[in-house]
Amino acid sequence: MILVLVGVIVVAVLAVRWLGGPWSAAVPPLHPPPSRTALDILNERFARGEIDQAEYEAKRRLISQV
């Protein structure tokens, strides 16, 4: 009877590990998140209203020169 109980517990532990239990190693993402460019950040700041159109245009010209 004890051997059957031990066998059930071993099978349960192996099944949980195989299905990816909480102690499984973390898997890194397949693709790293894309990095934001200076123009992306500038566009976001303009969209949030942090800068006005004149400042946006001036900074956009500076970025495009680089």
Side-chain angles (χ1 to χ4, degrees):
M1 183 68 175
I2 292 180
L3 287 176
V4 172
L5 182 60
V6 169
V8 169
I9 291 172
V10 168
V11 168
V13 168
L14 291 176
V16 169
R17 283 190 143 193
W18 182 70
L19 293 173
W23 54 81
S24 65
V27 178
L30 295 177
H31 302 288
S35 59
R36 295 179 4 194
T37 65
L39 188 57
D40 293 336
I41 296 168
L42 182 65
N43 288 335
E44 290 172 9
R45 289 187 64 202
F46 182 63
R48 285 193 299 260
E50 294 177 7
I51 57 176
D52 62 3
Q53 186 172 0
E55 188 176 357
Y56 171 79
E57 293 294 331
K59 290 181 185 294
R60 189 176 56 80
R61 273 187 251 113
L62 284 173
I63 290 171
S64 65
Q65 290 175 0
V66 175

